[in-house]
């Protein structure tokens, strides 16, 4: 029994040694363990918008106290306080708001205000008719973004007609006609353009042949 016990203990020791040899040692590169990453902080909320304090105008205050928003808006616009006028107009009813908004849009004739007015009023016929032709790409993009599907075809045709007649830009006009699904006009311009190019090439070739013959 003693011999069997010693043999079992010897076999157990050999198995332990084999297991230890088969287990790879942990890498020791001298670097300290990486600390856990801190939890992401939620984004900070934007604070209140800081603006210059509005002057305490007695006329505006009196009009507000009496519920006379139209007078308050008129005074603010006269003083150049457009933001205050728009806020007051929004509290004075739909009619006052629309009139104040339109007065503001008409006060500036920049290209941006023209685009904004067209979007606000959905008046794209006038916008396309008066738009700057060198900026035709912006005009085409605007009507594709904001115009209704029913009005888009006519607007693209109108822009193509202006480019063809006023700017003489056949390539741009063809693109507008294609957007309007006006294949008749697009093919007509293509045919005219390539006919002119073919005639020019033929004339150039004939002139060269005549010179060589002489």
């Amino acid at each position: 029994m003693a011999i069997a016990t010693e043999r079992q203990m010897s076999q157990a020791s050999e198995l332990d040694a084999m297991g230890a040899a088969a287990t790879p040692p942990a890498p020791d590169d001298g670097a300290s363990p990486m600390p856990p990453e801190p939890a992401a902080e939620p984004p900070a909320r934007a604070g209140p918008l800081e603006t210059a304090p509005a002057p305490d105008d007695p006329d505006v205050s009196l009009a507000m106290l009496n519920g006379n928003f139209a007078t308050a808006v008129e005074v603010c616009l006269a003083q150049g306080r457009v933001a205050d006028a728009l806020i007051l107009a929004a509290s004075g009813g739909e009619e006052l708001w629309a009139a104040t908004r339109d007065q503001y849009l008409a006060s500036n004739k920049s290209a941006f205000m023209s685009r904004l007015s067209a979007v606000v009023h959905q008046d794209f016929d006038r916008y396309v008719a008066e738009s700057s032709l060198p900026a035709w790409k912006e005009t085409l993009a605007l009507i594709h973004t904001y115009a209704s599907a029913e009005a888009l075809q006519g607007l693209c045709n109108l822009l193509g007609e202006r480019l063809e007649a006023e700017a003489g830009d056949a390539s741009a006009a063809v693109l507008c006609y294609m957007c309007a699904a006006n294949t008749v006009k697009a093919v007509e311009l293509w045919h005219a353009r390539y006919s002119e190019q073919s005639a020019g090439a033929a004339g150039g070739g004939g002139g060269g042949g005549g010179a060589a013959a002489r």
Side-chain angles (χ1 to χ4, degrees):
M1 293 294 294
I3 295 175
T5 302
E6 290 178 0
R7 183 177 298 175
Q8 291 174 353
M9 293 177 62
S10 175
Q11 291 177 349
S13 299
E14 290 177 359
L15 290 174
D16 291 341
M18 292 174 63
T23 304
D28 185 11
D29 54 0
S32 59
M34 295 293 293
E37 295 184 1
E41 296 182 359
R45 294 186 177 180
L49 181 64
E50 295 183 1
T51 59
D56 188 8
D57 189 298
D59 293 334
V60 176
S61 298
L62 181 60
M64 288 180 61
L65 290 174
N66 291 327
N68 192 346
F69 287 101
T71 299
V73 167
E74 183 179 352
V75 173
C76 287
L77 288 176
Q79 297 176 355
R81 297 163 54 184
V82 178
D84 294 338
L86 291 171
I87 294 296
L88 288 166
S91 302
E94 183 65 27
E95 184 177 350
L96 179 61
W97 158 250
T100 306
R101 176 201 63 195
D102 292 347
Q103 186 174 351
Y104 168 65
L105 291 173
S107 66
N108 191 321
K109 300 299 183 182
S110 67
F112 170 76
M113 292 299 286
S114 296
R115 288 192 291 267
L116 181 60
S117 180
V119 173
V120 169
H121 294 106
Q122 292 290 291
D123 188 7
F124 297 109
D125 289 299
R126 179 179 178 182
Y127 175 74
V128 172
E130 299 177 355
S131 62
S132 172
L133 290 180
W136 67 271
K137 293 180 181 178
E138 288 79 358
T139 302
L140 188 60
L142 186 81
I143 60 179
H144 267 83
T145 303
Y146 294 104
S148 65
E150 295 76 14
L152 184 59
Q153 183 176 6
L155 293 169
C156 290
N157 270 320
L158 176 58
L159 183 58
E161 291 169 359
R162 288 195 61 206
L163 287 166
E164 181 184 0
E166 300 176 31
D169 192 341
S171 298
V174 165
L175 179 59
C176 292
Y177 288 138
M178 290 175 64
C179 291
N182 191 344
T183 55
V184 174
K185 286 294 297 183
V187 171
E188 178 184 324
L189 284 182
W190 271 335
H191 180 72
R193 179 179 179 182
Y194 286 110
S195 295
E196 291 176 359
Q197 291 180 351
S198 299
R214 289 194 297 270

